[in-house]
Amino acid sequence: MSATANKLSKNEDLKEASNFLRGTILEGLADNSTGAISEADTQLTKFHGIYMQDDRDVRAERRNKKLERAYSFMVRVRVPGGVCSPTQWLAMDKLSDDYANHTLKLTTRQAFQFHGIIKSNLKRSIQAINHALLDTIAACGDVNRNVMCNPNPEQSEVHAEVLKVAQQLSDHLTPKTSAYHEIWLDGEKTISSEPDVEPIYGKTYLPRKFKIVIAVPPSNDVDIFAHDLGLIAIMEGGKLAGFNFTVGGGMGMTHNNKATYPRLGDLLGFVKPEDVIKVVEAIVTTQRDFGDRSDRKHARLKYTIDDRGLDWFRGEVESRCGLKLEQPREFKFERTGDRYGWVEGTNGKFNLTLFVQNGRVRDDRELQMKTALREIAKIHDGDFRLTANQNLVIGAISPENKPAIEKLLAEYKLDTCFDRPGIRLNSMACVALPTCGLALAESERYLPDLVTELENAVEQAGLAHDEIVIRMTGCPNGCARPYLGEIGLVGRSPGKYNLYLGAGFDGSRLNKLYKENVKQEEIAKVVGPIIERYARERKDGERFGDFTIRAGYVKPVKVAKTDWWAAN
Ligand code: SRM
Ligand code: SF4
């Protein structure tokens, strides 16, 4: 299928030989002599939503003691559109206590993650997830991942409609192999007992991960332009007329490798609701057949499009689906991020968006968030919606149930958790240390402290209630979409970060490198004065990212490929 003449990457051989994602995973699980699985199987388990990791905090100590690394597994649960029921929430909560590290991680892509599951508990964990009618297949791997969708509490009717599209896309693009059921659910063949075929993916699946999101303007809470494929809902006369498609977004890059860069998606065309599945499938199969299978750093859709051109891509998609895409329709985004607090939906039900620092739901001395949400889930008659910014909406609360939920919120002090400075409410960090094997620096464990330092600058400048988007990652892969932060911090090495400035508040412009290798203790000293100057010199309504460009700190990035690495 691949059009490339270059030597295929190792992963391609692995996929081909895996018998539709089986490999030797079962044998590896049965091997009690180690907490690990084989290198080849670590690649294949990703397709099952499972990553082998080790506790990096104790890596050196264990090496010195000649002990095996402290292996455990991260498990990612797909939640299409981020919506789950209270019963499912309770099941996830219990699983985190029974088998994981007692925390629930709400990810930047509306999924749950569990950390610290040891090999002997993996099957039990996946089975518990299956009993809650959720799954982990295709949460990671070279396939379409969790389909994201704006949780949109204030427009419940539209939300229900676009959520349905997200769920249909998710179902349509889920791998059909029965390996998942055989391995994790002890051979329960709930899908089919026929021989495996992957009608969309084929034996070698996609060249790389693939991500789909749906946004409902004016909210760009899902960061539509950061993903391989974006669907922008177009409303006309109060009804869903269709979607503008964007293609070729992606955040990942590698320090000092100029062939890699974050890229915002381009507008491809307008698609009517009834044609969505057909066009999406044509996009996915085009990437399947033309994506670069020889170099995994050049394998995402963004590079296929930059190499071959958007017009070529559109032509290929049109000929595959037999449709001519219409011109994109008018739309306007106002902001990224979430709107906190209470909103009444058009259906008369209430929705509450809570701030969850870096998506980590846990109990600590200051806040018993995990217990509070468990108690709420026990009496809640609506749903929970995971947001694309690691936050949580307690959704569709009936008017009768609202007082009881408010009582619990007050009892556990969750009713004030969104009454915080705007910079904290717009902060987001990836997991990084100690679990992420790719982290070069701290992120989730450090950003809250940095924000506390910056809150001083913000408060002194009189900007406590102003929203400034700050995002941090422990490496350049971009898991918290840092290149779309008005302030972006990307780990270089322990205690050092590249500082990026100048992204658009509405998510339509990338930021740009301002200073390299800034030491942790110097970040607030560098950023603080820029915030103070912003407070003094900003124009009416001017956003921080726009100001940093006007004031000359950085130039605007227009075309990722040429501008991203260009000198300031
Ligand atoms: Fe990510 C790899 C965590 C969203 C780009 N990401 C990883 C791994 C699995 C590390 C690994 O490969 O060993 C991280 C696991 C850390 C841990 O201990 O949990 C990891 N990524 C995350 C999460 C949990 C961050 C978070 O704090 O919420 C997010 C899970 C999303 C989900 O539910 O599916 C997460 N990752 C993202 C995003 C943001 C998004 O999609 O909106 C991106 C940037 C967008 C993009 O894909 O371009 C992202 N992750 C990456 C990349 C770089 C991909 C690339 O094209 O270069 C990697 C590394 C890789 O794939 O080789 C990566
Ligand atoms: Fe790990 Fe890097 Fe992703 Fe952070 S950005 S979770 S450090 S891969």
Coordinates of all heavy atoms in Angstrom, one line a residue, residues 46 51-53 74 76-77 105-115 139-140 145-146 148 208-209 211 213 222-223 226-228 249-254 296-297 300 302-303 358-360 388 390 428-439 444 475-482, ligand 1:
K46 N 0.4 -0.8 22.4 CA -0.1 0.6 22.2 C -1.4 0.6 21.5 O -2.3 1.3 21.8 CB 1.0 1.4 21.5 CG 2.2 1.7 22.3 CD 3.2 2.6 21.5 CE 4.5 2.6 22.2 NZ 5.5 3.5 21.5
Y51 N 0.6 1.2 27.5 CA 2.1 1.5 27.3 C 2.9 1.0 28.5 O 2.5 1.2 29.6 CB 2.2 3.1 27.5 CG 2.1 3.8 26.2 CD1 0.8 3.9 25.6 CD2 3.2 4.3 25.5 CE1 0.7 4.6 24.4 CE2 3.0 5.0 24.3 CZ 1.8 5.1 23.8 OH 1.6 5.8 22.6
M52 N 3.9 0.3 28.2 CA 4.8 -0.1 29.2 C 5.7 1.1 29.7 O 6.2 1.9 28.8 CB 5.8 -1.2 28.8 CG 6.6 -1.8 30.0 SD 7.5 -3.2 29.6 CE 8.9 -2.6 28.8
Q53 N 5.8 1.4 31.0 CA 6.6 2.5 31.5 C 7.4 2.0 32.7 O 7.2 0.8 33.1 CB 5.6 3.6 32.0 CG 4.7 4.1 30.9 CD 3.8 5.3 31.4 OE1 3.3 5.2 32.5 NE2 3.6 6.3 30.5
M74 N 0.8 2.1 31.7 CA -0.2 3.1 31.6 C -1.3 2.6 30.7 O -1.1 2.0 29.6 CB 0.4 4.4 31.0 CG -0.6 5.5 30.8 SD -1.3 5.5 29.2 CE -0.2 6.4 28.2
R76 N -4.9 3.7 28.7 CA -5.7 4.8 28.3 C -7.1 4.3 27.8 O -7.1 3.4 27.0 CB -5.0 5.5 27.1 CG -5.5 6.8 26.7 CD -4.8 7.5 25.6 NE -3.5 8.0 26.0 CZ -2.5 8.4 25.2 NH1 -2.7 8.2 23.9 NH2 -1.4 8.9 25.6
V77 N -8.1 4.9 28.3 CA -9.5 4.5 28.0 C -10.1 5.5 27.0 O -10.1 6.7 27.3 CB -10.3 4.5 29.3 CG1 -11.7 4.0 29.0 CG2 -9.7 3.6 30.4
K105 N -6.4 10.2 35.6 CA -5.8 11.3 34.8 C -6.8 11.6 33.6 O -7.1 10.8 32.8 CB -4.4 10.9 34.2 CG -3.9 11.8 33.1 CD -3.2 13.0 33.7 CE -2.8 13.9 32.5 NZ -2.2 15.2 32.9
L106 N -7.3 12.8 33.6 CA -8.1 13.3 32.4 C -7.2 13.9 31.4 O -6.5 14.8 31.7 CB -9.2 14.3 32.9 CG -10.0 14.0 34.2 CD1 -11.0 15.0 34.4 CD2 -10.6 12.6 34.1
T107 N -7.1 13.3 30.2 CA -6.1 13.7 29.3 C -6.5 14.9 28.4 O -7.7 15.3 28.4 CB -5.8 12.6 28.3 OG1 -6.8 12.4 27.4 CG2 -5.5 11.3 29.1
T108 N -5.6 15.4 27.7 CA -5.8 16.6 26.8 C -6.7 16.1 25.6 O -7.0 16.9 24.7 CB -4.5 17.1 26.2 OG1 -3.8 16.1 25.6 CG2 -3.7 17.8 27.3
R109 N -7.0 14.8 25.5 CA -7.9 14.3 24.4 C -9.1 13.6 24.9 O -9.6 12.6 24.4 CB -7.1 13.5 23.4 CG -5.9 14.2 22.7 CD -5.5 13.5 21.4 NE -6.3 13.9 20.3 CZ -7.2 13.1 19.8 NH1 -7.4 11.8 20.2 NH2 -8.0 13.5 18.8
Q110 N -9.6 14.1 26.1 CA -10.9 13.6 26.6 C -10.9 12.2 26.9 O -11.9 11.5 26.7 CB -12.0 14.0 25.6 CG -12.2 15.5 25.4 CD -13.3 15.8 24.5 OE1 -13.3 15.4 23.3 NE2 -14.3 16.5 24.9
A111 N -9.8 11.6 27.3 CA -9.7 10.2 27.7 C -9.4 10.1 29.2 O -8.9 11.1 29.8 CB -8.7 9.5 26.8
F112 N -9.5 8.9 29.7 CA -9.0 8.6 31.1 C -7.7 7.9 30.9 O -7.5 7.1 30.0 CB -9.9 7.6 31.8 CG -11.2 8.1 32.3 CD1 -12.4 7.7 31.7 CD2 -11.3 9.0 33.3 CE1 -13.6 8.1 32.1 CE2 -12.6 9.4 33.8 CZ -13.7 9.0 33.1
Q113 N -6.8 8.2 31.8 CA -5.5 7.4 31.9 C -5.3 6.8 33.3 O -5.6 7.6 34.3 CB -4.3 8.2 31.5 CG -4.0 8.1 30.0 CD -2.7 8.7 29.6 OE1 -2.5 9.0 28.4 NE2 -1.8 8.9 30.5
F114 N -4.9 5.6 33.4 CA -4.4 5.0 34.6 C -2.9 4.8 34.6 O -2.4 4.4 33.5 CB -5.1 3.7 34.9 CG -6.6 3.8 34.9 CD1 -7.4 3.5 33.8 CD2 -7.2 4.2 36.1 CE1 -8.7 3.6 33.8 CE2 -8.6 4.4 36.1 CZ -9.4 4.0 35.0
H115 N -2.3 5.1 35.6 CA -0.8 4.9 35.7 C -0.5 3.9 36.8 O -1.3 3.8 37.8 CB -0.1 6.2 36.0 CG -0.1 7.2 34.9 ND1 -0.9 8.3 34.9 CD2 0.6 7.2 33.8 CE1 -0.8 9.0 33.8 NE2 0.2 8.4 33.1
A139 N -6.8 3.4 21.6 CA -6.6 4.7 22.4 C -5.2 5.2 22.1 O -4.9 6.4 22.2 CB -6.7 4.4 23.9
C140 N -4.3 4.3 21.6 CA -2.9 4.7 21.2 C -2.7 3.8 19.9 O -3.5 3.1 19.4 CB -1.9 4.3 22.2 SG -2.4 4.6 23.9
R145 N -7.4 7.6 16.8 CA -7.5 7.6 18.3 C -8.9 8.1 18.7 O -9.8 8.3 17.9 CB -6.4 8.5 18.9 CG -5.0 8.3 18.3 CD -4.4 7.2 19.1 NE -3.0 7.0 18.8 CZ -2.0 7.5 19.5 NH1 -2.1 8.3 20.5 NH2 -0.7 7.1 19.2
N146 N -9.0 8.3 20.0 CA -10.2 8.9 20.6 C -10.7 10.1 19.8 O -10.0 11.0 19.6 CB -10.0 9.3 22.0 CG -11.3 9.5 22.8 OD1 -12.2 8.7 22.6 ND2 -11.3 10.4 23.7
M148 N -12.5 13.4 19.4 CA -12.8 14.4 20.4 C -14.0 15.3 19.9 O -14.2 15.4 18.7 CB -11.7 15.4 20.6 CG -10.5 14.7 21.3 SD -9.7 15.8 22.4 CE -8.8 16.9 21.3
R208 N 1.1 6.1 11.0 CA 1.4 6.8 12.3 C 0.0 7.1 13.0 O -1.0 6.9 12.4 CB 2.1 8.1 12.0 CG 2.9 8.7 13.1 CD 4.1 7.9 13.5 NE 5.0 8.7 14.3 CZ 5.0 8.9 15.6 NH1 4.1 8.3 16.4 NH2 6.0 9.6 16.2
K209 N 0.0 7.6 14.2 CA -1.2 8.0 14.9 C -2.1 8.9 14.0 O -1.5 9.7 13.2 CB -0.9 8.6 16.2 CG 0.0 9.8 16.1 CD 0.2 10.4 17.5 CE 1.1 9.7 18.4 NZ 1.6 10.4 19.6
K211 N -5.6 11.6 14.4 CA -6.5 12.3 15.4 C -7.6 13.1 14.8 O -7.3 13.9 13.9 CB -5.6 13.1 16.4 CG -4.6 12.3 17.1 CD -3.8 13.2 18.0 CE -2.8 12.3 18.9 NZ -2.0 13.2 19.8
V213 N -11.0 15.6 15.6 CA -11.8 16.4 16.6 C -12.9 17.1 15.9 O -12.9 17.4 14.7 CB -10.9 17.5 17.2 CG1 -9.8 16.9 18.1 CG2 -10.3 18.4 16.2
V222 N -11.3 22.5 21.6 CA -10.6 21.3 21.2 C -9.3 21.6 20.4 O -8.6 20.6 20.0 CB -11.5 20.3 20.3 CG1 -12.7 19.8 21.2 CG2 -12.0 21.0 19.1
D223 N -9.0 22.8 20.2 CA -7.8 23.2 19.4 C -7.9 22.5 18.1 O -7.0 21.7 17.7 CB -6.5 22.8 20.2 CG -6.1 23.8 21.1 OD1 -6.2 25.0 20.9 OD2 -5.6 23.4 22.2
A226 N -4.9 21.7 15.7 CA -3.8 20.9 16.2 C -3.8 19.5 15.7 O -2.9 18.7 16.1 CB -3.7 21.0 17.7
H227 N -4.9 19.1 15.0 CA -5.1 17.6 14.8 C -5.1 17.2 13.3 O -5.3 18.1 12.5 CB -6.5 17.2 15.4 CG -6.6 17.6 16.9 ND1 -6.3 16.8 17.9 CD2 -6.9 18.8 17.4 CE1 -6.4 17.4 19.0 NE2 -6.8 18.6 18.8
D228 N -4.9 16.0 13.1 CA -4.8 15.5 11.7 C -6.0 15.9 10.9 O -6.0 16.4 9.8 CB -4.7 14.0 11.6 CG -3.4 13.5 12.3 OD1 -2.3 13.5 11.6 OD2 -3.4 13.2 13.5
G249 N -3.1 19.1 10.8 CA -2.6 19.7 12.0 C -1.7 18.7 12.8 O -1.9 17.5 12.6
G250 N -0.8 19.2 13.6 CA -0.1 18.3 14.5 C 0.9 19.1 15.3 O 1.3 20.2 14.8
M251 N 1.3 18.7 16.5 CA 2.1 19.5 17.4 C 3.6 19.0 17.4 O 4.5 19.7 17.6 CB 1.6 19.5 18.8 CG 0.2 20.2 19.0 SD 0.4 22.0 19.1 CE -0.1 22.5 17.5
G252 N 3.8 17.7 17.3 CA 5.1 17.1 17.6 C 6.2 17.6 16.8 O 6.1 17.9 15.6
M253 N 7.3 17.8 17.4 CA 8.6 18.2 16.7 C 9.7 17.6 17.6 O 9.5 17.2 18.7 CB 8.7 19.7 16.4 CG 8.7 20.5 17.6 SD 10.4 21.1 17.9 CE 10.2 22.2 19.3
T254 N 10.9 17.7 17.0 CA 12.1 17.2 17.7 C 13.1 18.4 17.8 O 13.4 19.0 16.8 CB 12.8 16.1 17.0 OG1 11.8 15.1 16.8 CG2 13.9 15.5 17.7
R296 N 9.4 7.5 10.9 CA 8.3 7.8 11.8 C 8.2 9.3 12.2 O 7.2 9.8 12.7 CB 8.3 6.9 13.0 CG 7.9 5.5 12.5 CD 7.8 4.5 13.7 NE 6.8 4.7 14.6 CZ 5.5 4.4 14.5 NH1 5.0 3.9 13.3 NH2 4.6 4.7 15.4
K297 N 9.3 10.0 12.0 CA 9.3 11.4 12.4 C 8.7 12.2 11.2 O 8.7 13.5 11.3 CB 10.7 11.9 12.7 CG 11.2 11.5 14.1 CD 12.3 12.3 14.6 CE 12.9 11.8 15.9 NZ 12.0 11.9 17.0
R300 N 3.3 11.7 9.9 CA 2.0 12.2 10.1 C 1.4 12.8 8.9 O 2.2 13.3 8.0 CB 2.0 13.3 11.3 CG 2.4 12.7 12.6 CD 1.4 11.8 13.3 NE 0.2 12.5 13.6 CZ -0.1 13.1 14.8 NH1 0.9 13.1 15.7 NH2 -1.2 13.7 15.1
K302 N 0.4 15.7 8.4 CA 0.9 17.1 8.1 C 2.1 17.1 7.1 O 2.1 17.9 6.2 CB 1.3 17.8 9.4 CG 2.4 17.2 10.2 CD 2.7 18.0 11.5 CE 3.8 17.3 12.3 NZ 4.0 18.0 13.6
Y303 N 2.9 16.0 7.2 CA 4.0 16.0 6.2 C 3.6 15.5 4.8 O 4.1 15.9 3.8 CB 5.1 15.1 6.8 CG 5.7 15.6 8.1 CD1 5.5 14.9 9.3 CD2 6.3 16.8 8.2 CE1 6.0 15.3 10.5 CE2 6.8 17.3 9.4 CZ 6.6 16.6 10.6 OH 7.1 17.1 11.8
N358 N -4.2 20.2 35.7 CA -3.5 19.3 34.9 C -4.2 17.9 34.7 O -3.6 16.9 34.4 CB -2.1 19.0 35.3 CG -1.3 20.3 35.4 OD1 -1.6 21.2 34.6 ND2 -0.4 20.5 36.3
G359 N -5.5 17.9 34.9 CA -6.3 16.7 34.7 C -6.2 15.6 35.7 O -6.7 14.5 35.5
R360 N -5.5 15.9 36.8 CA -5.2 14.8 37.8 C -6.3 14.9 38.9 O -6.3 15.7 39.7 CB -3.8 15.1 38.4 CG -3.3 13.9 39.2 CD -3.1 12.6 38.5 NE -1.9 12.7 37.6 CZ -1.4 11.7 36.9 NH1 -1.9 10.5 37.0 NH2 -0.4 11.8 36.1
A388 N -11.3 18.9 26.5 CA -10.0 18.8 25.8 C -8.9 19.5 26.5 O -7.8 19.5 26.1 CB -10.2 19.3 24.4
Q390 N -8.3 19.0 29.9 CA -8.1 18.2 31.1 C -9.0 18.6 32.2 O -8.7 18.4 33.4 CB -6.6 18.4 31.6 CG -5.5 18.1 30.5 CD -4.1 18.4 31.0 OE1 -3.9 19.4 31.6 NE2 -3.2 17.6 30.7
M428 N -2.1 24.3 31.4 CA -2.2 22.9 31.1 C -0.8 22.3 31.0 O 0.1 22.9 30.3 CB -3.0 22.8 29.7 CG -3.4 21.5 29.3 SD -4.8 21.5 28.2 CE -4.1 21.9 26.7
A429 N -0.6 21.2 31.6 CA 0.7 20.5 31.5 C 0.5 19.1 31.2 O -0.5 18.4 31.6 CB 1.4 20.6 32.9
C430 N 1.4 18.5 30.4 CA 1.4 17.1 30.1 C 1.9 16.3 31.3 O 2.4 16.9 32.3 CB 2.3 16.8 28.9 SG 4.0 16.9 29.3
V431 N 1.8 15.0 31.2 CA 2.2 14.1 32.4 C 3.7 14.2 32.7 O 4.1 14.5 33.8 CB 1.9 12.7 32.1 CG1 2.2 11.8 33.2 CG2 0.4 12.5 31.7
A432 N 4.5 14.0 31.7 CA 6.0 14.0 31.9 C 6.4 13.1 33.0 O 5.9 12.0 33.2 CB 6.5 15.4 32.0
L433 N 7.4 13.5 33.9 CA 7.9 12.6 34.9 C 6.9 12.4 36.0 O 6.1 13.3 36.3 CB 9.2 13.3 35.5 CG 10.3 13.4 34.4 CD1 11.4 14.4 34.9 CD2 10.9 12.0 34.2
P434 N 6.9 11.2 36.7 CA 7.9 10.2 36.5 C 7.5 9.1 35.6 O 8.3 8.1 35.4 CB 8.0 9.6 38.0 CG 6.6 9.7 38.4 CD 6.0 11.0 37.8
T435 N 6.3 9.1 34.9 CA 5.9 8.0 34.1 C 6.3 8.0 32.7 O 6.6 7.0 32.1 CB 4.4 7.8 34.2 OG1 3.8 9.0 33.9 CG2 4.0 7.3 35.6
C436 N 6.4 9.2 32.1 CA 6.6 9.3 30.6 C 8.0 9.0 30.3 O 8.9 9.7 30.7 CB 6.2 10.7 30.1 SG 6.5 10.8 28.3
G437 N 8.2 8.0 29.5 CA 9.6 7.6 29.1 C 10.3 8.6 28.2 O 11.5 8.5 28.0
L438 N 9.5 9.6 27.6 CA 10.1 10.5 26.7 C 10.4 11.9 27.4 O 11.0 12.7 26.7 CB 9.2 10.7 25.5 CG 8.8 9.5 24.8 CD1 7.8 9.8 23.6 CD2 10.0 8.7 24.2
A439 N 10.0 12.0 28.6 CA 10.2 13.4 29.3 C 11.7 13.8 29.4 O 12.5 12.9 29.8 CB 9.5 13.4 30.6
E444 N 3.9 18.2 34.7 CA 2.7 18.2 35.6 C 3.1 18.5 37.0 O 2.4 19.2 37.7 CB 2.0 16.8 35.5 CG 0.8 16.7 36.4 CD 0.2 15.3 36.4 OE1 0.3 14.6 35.4 OE2 -0.5 15.0 37.4
C475 N 8.7 17.6 27.0 CA 9.5 17.4 25.8 C 8.8 18.0 24.6 O 7.7 18.4 24.7 CB 9.8 15.8 25.6 SG 8.5 15.0 24.7
P476 N 9.5 18.0 23.4 CA 8.8 18.7 22.3 C 7.7 18.0 21.6 O 7.2 18.5 20.6 CB 10.0 18.9 21.4 CG 11.0 17.8 21.7 CD 10.8 17.5 23.1
N477 N 7.3 16.8 22.1 CA 6.2 16.1 21.4 C 4.9 16.8 21.4 O 4.0 16.5 20.6 CB 6.0 14.7 22.0 CG 7.1 13.7 21.5 OD1 7.4 13.8 20.3 ND2 7.7 12.9 22.4
G478 N 4.7 17.7 22.4 CA 3.5 18.6 22.3 C 2.2 18.1 22.9 O 1.2 18.5 22.5
C479 N 2.3 17.2 23.9 CA 1.1 16.6 24.4 C 0.1 17.5 25.0 O -1.1 17.2 25.1 CB 1.4 15.4 25.4 SG 2.3 14.1 24.6
A480 N 0.5 18.7 25.6 CA -0.4 19.7 26.1 C -0.6 20.8 25.1 O -0.9 21.9 25.5 CB 0.0 20.2 27.5
R481 N -0.3 20.5 23.8 CA -0.4 21.5 22.7 C 0.3 22.8 23.1 O -0.3 23.9 23.0 CB -1.9 21.7 22.4 CG -2.6 20.4 21.9 CD -4.0 20.6 21.4 NE -4.9 20.9 22.4 CZ -5.6 20.1 23.2 NH1 -5.5 18.8 23.0 NH2 -6.5 20.5 24.1
P482 N 1.5 22.8 23.5 CA 2.2 24.0 24.0 C 2.5 25.0 23.0 O 2.6 26.2 23.3 CB 3.6 23.4 24.5 CG 3.8 22.2 23.7 CD 2.5 21.6 23.4
Ligands
SRM1 FE1 1.0 12.5 23.8 C1 3.5 10.3 23.2 C2 0.8 11.5 27.0 C3 -1.9 14.1 24.0 C4 1.8 14.2 20.9 N1 2.0 11.1 24.9 C5 3.0 10.2 24.5 C6 3.3 9.2 25.5 C7 2.4 8.0 25.3 C8 4.8 8.8 25.7 C9 5.3 7.7 24.9 O1 5.1 7.5 23.7 O2 6.0 6.8 25.6 C10 2.8 10.0 26.8 C11 2.4 9.1 28.0 C12 2.7 9.9 29.3 C13 2.2 9.3 30.5 O3 2.9 8.9 31.4 O4 1.0 9.2 30.6 C14 1.8 10.9 26.2 N2 -0.3 12.6 25.2 C15 -0.2 12.3 26.5 C16 -1.4 12.8 27.3 C17 -1.8 11.9 28.4 C18 -0.9 14.2 27.9 C19 -1.8 14.7 29.0 O5 -1.2 15.1 30.0 O6 -3.0 14.8 28.9 C20 -2.4 13.0 26.2 C21 -3.2 11.8 26.0 C22 -4.2 12.1 24.9 C23 -5.2 11.0 24.7 O7 -6.1 10.8 25.5 O8 -5.2 10.3 23.6 C24 -1.5 13.3 25.0 N3 0.1 13.8 22.6 C25 -1.1 14.4 22.9 C26 -1.3 15.6 22.1 C27 -2.4 16.6 22.2 C28 -3.5 16.3 21.3 O9 -3.6 15.3 20.6 O10 -4.5 17.1 21.3 C29 -0.2 15.6 21.2 C30 0.1 16.7 20.1 C31 -0.8 16.6 18.9 C32 -0.2 15.7 17.9 O11 -0.5 14.5 18.0 O12 0.5 16.1 17.1 C33 0.6 14.5 21.5 N4 2.4 12.2 22.3 C34 2.6 13.1 21.2 C35 3.8 12.6 20.5 C36 4.3 13.3 19.2 C37 3.7 12.9 18.0 C38 4.3 13.4 16.7 O13 3.6 13.5 15.7 O14 5.5 13.8 16.7 C39 4.3 11.5 21.1 C40 5.5 10.7 20.8 C41 5.3 9.8 19.6 O15 4.2 9.6 19.1 O16 6.3 9.3 19.1 C42 3.4 11.3 22.3

